[in-house]
């Protein structure tokens, strides 16, 4: 399968190789998921399971280690029993990749009150964890909000982007 992929798309072949190494099973299919700009996300079909593979972007002008930040956040959330975050199955720091269980779903094109409630619940969880031991040592997320003004501005920017989708 991999030789076929390399003729189609070298990025898919790279994702398949990294994904099957992390999953410990051959990749029977791989598909890039579009829509995000932060990292590459791929659906990886194994013989018995389907996975989500994230390939973390590395920019020469951006010193942040996106994978390291996510690894630290996942470990912190696991220590504190945060259930809104999926488990990370495996990661490869050299490849800048992490493997997660695949969660079937659909793109939210018309966010409703339940979506807002879920987001607000998660924000509440984050706020309650802010004073826990180890919280201050976590690397900042790409769009971290350290004040109410920053949070309000980010919500406004995201609302404007969502409004464009609904137009």
């Amino acid at each position: 399968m991999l030789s076929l992929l390399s003729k189609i798309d070298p990025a898919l072949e790279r994702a398949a190789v990294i994904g099957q190494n992390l999953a410990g099973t051959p990749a029977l299919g791989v598909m890039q998921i579009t829509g995000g700009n932060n990292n590459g996300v791929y659906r990886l079909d194994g013989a018995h399971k389907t996975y989500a593979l994230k390939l973390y972007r590395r920019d020469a002008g951006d010193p942040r280690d996106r994978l390291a930040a996510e690894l630290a956040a996942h470990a912190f959330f696991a220590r504190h029993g945060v259930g809104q975050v999926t488990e990370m199955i495996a990661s490869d720091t050299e490849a800048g990749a992490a493997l997660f269980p695949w969660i079937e779903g659909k793109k939210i094109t018309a966010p409703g009150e339940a979506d807002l409630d879920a987001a607000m619940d998660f924000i509440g969880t984050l706020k309650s964890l802010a004073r826990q031991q180890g919280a201050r040592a976590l690397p900042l997320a790409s769009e971290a909000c350290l004040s109410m003004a920053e949070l309000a501005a980010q919500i406004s920017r995201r609302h404007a982007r969502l409004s464009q989708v609904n137009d």
Side-chain angles (χ1 to χ4, degrees), residues 8-47:
I8 298 169
D9 186 342
L12 285 179
E13 180 182 27
R14 179 177 181 266
V17 169
I18 293 169
Q20 67 188 13
N21 287 341
L22 289 173
T25 187
L28 302 179
V30 63
M31 175 177 60
Q32 185 168 14
I33 307 302
T34 59
N37 295 325
N38 211 19
N39 302 299
V41 179
Y42 298 83
R43 177 186 169 131
L44 182 78
D45 294 313

Side-chain angles (χ1 to χ4, degrees), residues 15-85:
V17 169
I18 293 169
Q20 67 188 13
N21 287 341
L22 289 173
T25 187
L28 302 179
V30 63
M31 175 177 60
Q32 185 168 14
I33 307 302
T34 59
N37 295 325
N38 211 19
N39 302 299
V41 179
Y42 298 83
R43 177 186 169 131
L44 182 78
D45 294 313
H48 302 290
K49 289 185 182 179
T50 301
Y51 304 94
L53 173 70
K54 285 179 75 173
L55 299 179
Y56 294 80
R57 193 174 81 215
R58 294 175 175 155
D59 297 327
D62 185 351
R64 290 176 298 165
D65 184 339
R66 295 165 192 265
L67 173 59
E70 190 149 346
L71 289 171
H74 268 81
F76 181 78
F77 290 151
R79 280 194 310 276
H80 294 284
V82 176
Q84 296 116 315
V85 179

Side-chain angles (χ1 to χ4, degrees), residues 56-131:
Y56 294 80
R57 193 174 81 215
R58 294 175 175 155
D59 297 327
D62 185 351
R64 290 176 298 165
D65 184 339
R66 295 165 192 265
L67 173 59
E70 190 149 346
L71 289 171
H74 268 81
F76 181 78
F77 290 151
R79 280 194 310 276
H80 294 284
V82 176
Q84 296 116 315
V85 179
T86 189
E87 67 174 307
M88 184 182 297
I89 296 170
S91 64
D92 179 342
T93 54
E94 189 175 315
L99 192 70
F100 301 87
W102 180 259
I103 299 172
E104 280 298 332
K106 62 180 183 173
K107 189 173 187 174
I108 298 172
T109 56
E113 194 169 322
D115 301 306
L116 181 59
D117 287 344
M120 294 306 292
D121 286 345
F122 187 63
I123 291 169
T125 298
L126 294 177
K127 183 169 176 31
S128 71
L129 292 174
R131 290 190 172 95

